[in-house]
């Protein structure tokens, strides 16, 4: 069989690439091992009509105008401002930690003092990483600021990071902790900085199916590329699999954070009081998502059934998050050098780039890819 573009893995990036190539008039064959498209982002309606994100919850948020414009070609979206709560010492408080969290965690007198202190050092609406806040507290030698920085670090970041990554918050790339800053305002949203925060009006899989709806695109599901690659003559190969796997791990295996996404169904209308609750200190899971709460206007919202997802790190092999330590990045450089020598094989996305990308950065990555 002869084909111009062979894509291994119906991952989000490659679906978008296929859409762009097909629109240009080029033929594309996508070979996918699983029985569905779009890999870990796959969503579907269960028998009760509840929309489930099969592997883990995906929330679309971005500031990138071109990405936002692109996805709008394939789906309608409904406004969705994501909010998360933390369970700390039996108390549910808003994440990211903000002025509301302070008032819910301490006595009014202490909370007032802490708010005043923060506003002495930072402007209202600033976002500060916990690393920066701790450094500031130690530099300024301020008792209140140190108390607050230590409290947030100890109660929220320290154990969660060890639970999730297996390394300490001091060892991890500081960019990871910056994702959840301390917010000096009363904004309870999880992504306070992002201009566009939406969920697809129908479901993500539908949006990706629409991208694939072109006569130039063929998709083979339930097919391992290794079983058919010798029969295919291609001009270009687009590879989704981890870059180290492509090179048979010759420089060593790149490490990923592995997580079990455990779905549980309950015969009740509601399981928890918020769509996502984080558990920084207790239990073996880091967070619980209750899917139906993404769509409060859905006709199934009030039924006596609900499905949750528990995220339990280190159990199962969904290789989702690259662990960007110095050692791993050194191994990555070696693979990247070898990859540059290949004329007709291309790597994209998280596993190929070994980068902790959000969905919008993934899309940007492929929109910027020259075809
Ligand atoms: N984090 C934490 N406590 C929390 C939430 C996040 O310590 O309650 C830290 C943790 O190290 C995590 C990082 O902040 O890996 C980024 O969190 P985010 O929610 O962005 O992770 P993701 O949604 O990508 O799994």
């Amino acid at each position: 069989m002869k084909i111009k573009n062979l894509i291994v893995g119906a991952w989000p990036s490659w679906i978008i690439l296929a859409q762009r190539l097909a629109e240009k008039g080029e033929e594309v064959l996508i070979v996918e091992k699983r029985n569905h498209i779009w890999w870990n982002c796959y969503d579907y309606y269960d028998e009760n009509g509840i929309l489930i994100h099969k592997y883990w919850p995906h929330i679309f948020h971005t500031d990138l105008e071109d990405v936002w414009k692109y996805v709008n070609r394939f789906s309608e979206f409904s406004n969705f401002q994501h909010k998360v709560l933390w369970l700390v010492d039996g108390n549910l408080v808003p994440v990211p930690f903000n002025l509301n969290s302070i008032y819910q965690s301490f006595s009014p007198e202490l909370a007032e003092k802490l708010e005043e202190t923060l506003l002495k050092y930072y402007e209202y609406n600033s976002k500060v990483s916990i690393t920066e806040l701790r450094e500031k507290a130690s530099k300024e030698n301020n008792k209140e600021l140190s108390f607050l920085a230590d409290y947030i670090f100890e109660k929220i970041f320290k154990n969660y990071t060890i639970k999730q990554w297996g390394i300490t918050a001091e060892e991890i790339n500081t960019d990871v902790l910056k994702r959840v800053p301390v917010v000096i305002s009363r904004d309870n949203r999880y992504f306070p900085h992002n201009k566009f925060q939406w969920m697809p009006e129908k479901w993500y899989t539908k949006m990706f199916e629409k991208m694939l709806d072109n006569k130039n695109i063929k998709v083979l599901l339930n097919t391992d590329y290794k079983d058919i690659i010798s029969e295919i003559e291609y001009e270009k190969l687009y590879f989704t699999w981890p870059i180290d796997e492509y090179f048979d791990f010759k420089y060593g295996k790149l490490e990923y954070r592995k997580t079990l996404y455990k779905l549980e169904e309950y015969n009740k209308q509601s399981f928890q009081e918020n769509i996502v609750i984080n558990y920084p200190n207790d239990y073996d899971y880091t967070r619980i998502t209750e899917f139906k709460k993404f769509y409060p206007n859905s006709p199934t919202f009030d039924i006596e059934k609900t499905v949750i997802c528990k995220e339990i790190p280190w159990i199962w092999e969904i290789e989702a998050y690259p662990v960007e330590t110095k050692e791993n990045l050194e191994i990555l450089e070696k693979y990247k050098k070898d990859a540059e020598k290949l004329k007709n094989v291309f790597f994209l996305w998280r596993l190929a780039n070994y980068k902790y990308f959000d969905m919008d950065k993934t899309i940007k990555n492929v929109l910027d890819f020259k075809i």
Side-chain angles (χ1 to χ4, degrees):
M1 182 187 189
K2 242 180 159 173
I3 188 89
K4 185 156 178 144
N5 300 290
L6 173 63
I7 291 182
V8 175
W11 293 52
S13 327
W14 293 135
I15 292 177
I16 293 166
L17 183 79
Q19 186 280 323
R20 292 183 61 213
L21 290 168
E23 199 166 59
K24 248 180 80 187
E26 292 191 18
E27 283 197 323
V28 183
L29 173 66
I30 301 181
V31 181
E32 168 58 60
K33 200 153 83 167
R34 291 187 182 171
N35 64 358
H36 61 75
I37 60 164
W38 112 277
W39 203 247
N40 293 338
C41 312
Y42 178 65
D43 55 358
Y44 64 95
Y45 282 92
D46 73 359
E47 68 280 7
N48 301 308
I50 300 171
L51 184 61
I52 310 290
H53 295 193
K54 179 166 178 172
Y55 301 95
W56 67 80
H58 288 81
I59 297 129
F60 191 81
H61 55 103
T62 188
D63 283 329
L64 302 168
E65 302 267 353
D66 50 349
V67 169
W68 180 233
K69 203 165 142 202
Y70 179 79
V71 292
N72 271 275
R73 283 180 58 194
F74 305 96
S75 178
E76 311 257 297
F77 284 83
S78 23
N79 188 307
F80 179 81
Q81 304 291 327
H82 190 43
K83 290 183 186 151
V84 176
L85 297 176
W86 262 310
L87 182 75
V88 176
D89 296 340
N91 225 356
L92 286 174
V93 293
V95 197
F97 202 89
N98 63 48
L99 298 179
N100 291 328
S101 323
I102 291 186
Y103 279 87
Q104 289 178 30
S105 306
F106 306 110
S107 69
E109 298 75 37
L110 178 55
E112 229 169 87
K113 216 187 249 173
L114 294 171
E115 176 178 7
E116 240 170 60
T117 309
L118 276 176
L119 291 172
K120 186 169 141 199
Y121 292 106
Y122 298 101
E123 278 184 23
Y124 188 82
N125 230 354
S126 320
K127 288 153 196 84
V128 196
S129 79
I130 182 63
T131 319
E132 206 184 311
L133 188 69
R134 290 176 86 205
E135 280 165 9
K136 181 90 170 173
S138 129
K139 196 170 136 225
E140 299 292 337
N141 203 13
N142 178 297
K143 213 170 95 213
E144 275 86 25
L145 203 61
S146 297
F147 167 79
L148 186 64
D150 286 348
Y151 179 88
I152 300 173
F153 182 75
E154 291 289 326
K155 298 282 182 187
I156 284 147
F157 288 96
K158 188 175 150 188
N159 295 330
Y160 189 107
T161 302
I162 292 172
K163 210 193 307 188
Q164 186 161 12
W165 296 95
I167 54 178
T168 64
E170 282 90 356
E171 285 169 301
I172 202 140
N173 186 332
T174 48
D175 287 350
V176 174
L177 301 186
K178 266 191 206 154
R179 292 169 59 89
V180 186
V182 176
V183 175
I184 303 161
S185 78
R186 297 208 173 248
D187 191 340
N188 282 349
R189 293 172 305 161
Y190 201 61
F191 309 112
H193 48 288
N194 282 138
K195 193 156 143 195
F196 307 110
Q197 300 189 43
W198 303 77
M199 290 296 276
E201 188 75 43
K202 296 215 166 70
W203 63 104
Y204 283 110
T205 304
K206 191 88 192 146
M207 174 171 97
F208 283 88
E209 276 171 5
K210 200 160 170 201
M211 289 176 185
L212 292 174
D213 185 16
N214 185 307
K215 65 175 177 17
N216 293 329
I217 302 177
K218 270 203 193 71
V219 182
L220 279 183
L221 295 177
N222 302 305
T223 311
D224 189 331
Y225 81 98
K226 289 179 190 139
D227 296 336
I228 59 157
I229 196 138
S230 59
E231 297 155 31
I232 301 178
E233 244 181 82
Y234 54 81
E235 271 179 42
K236 289 178 181 168
L237 171 64
Y238 298 94
F239 204 76
T240 321
W241 282 93
I243 195 163
D244 51 345
E245 181 178 336
Y246 180 84
F247 290 106
D248 283 330
F249 307 106
K250 67 177 181 180
Y251 300 123
K253 205 165 173 346
L254 291 167
E255 230 184 317
Y256 291 90
R257 195 197 97 198
K258 294 165 185 155
T259 301
L260 169 67
Y261 298 92
K262 188 165 174 266
L263 300 186
E264 292 175 5
E265 188 183 299
Y266 290 87
N267 291 325
K268 44 169 123 174
Q269 193 274 330
S270 170
F271 178 84
Q272 59 188 24
E273 68 182 71
N274 197 55
I275 184 160
V276 174
I277 297 183
N278 284 11
Y279 295 84
N281 303 307
D282 315 299
Y283 311 108
D284 54 351
Y285 37 84
T286 49
R287 50 185 172 198
I288 296 184
T289 301
E290 188 174 5
F291 292 111
K292 60 157 49 171
K293 296 200 161 113
F294 277 126
Y295 290 94
N297 297 324
S298 148
T300 54
F301 188 75
D302 287 327
I303 63 169
E304 292 291 310
K305 286 265 183 212
T306 193
V307 179
I308 60 157
C309 172
K310 283 184 179 161
E311 299 184 30
I312 311 175
W314 302 106
I315 294 195
W316 192 40
E317 302 226 341
I318 284 262
E319 300 188 318
Y321 292 92
V323 186
E324 295 177 45
T325 57
K326 194 167 154 276
E327 293 74 27
N328 285 328
L329 293 175
E330 277 168 13
I331 297 178
L332 173 71
E333 274 318 300
K334 293 184 189 161
Y335 286 122
K336 276 195 157 168
K337 282 216 171 83
D338 281 8
E340 278 162 20
K341 292 181 203 142
L342 300 170
K343 290 258 164 345
N344 64 342
V345 182
F346 303 90
F347 300 87
L348 273 184
W349 205 64
R350 254 190 196 184
L351 295 191
N353 281 286
Y354 200 63
K355 267 236 111 6
Y356 188 178
F357 283 150
D358 277 330
M359 226 189 310
D360 66 327
K361 300 282 174 355
T362 303
I363 297 174
K364 178 73 178 155
N365 188 228
V366 73
L367 290 182
D368 289 347
F369 185 73
K370 284 216 166 40
I371 56 170

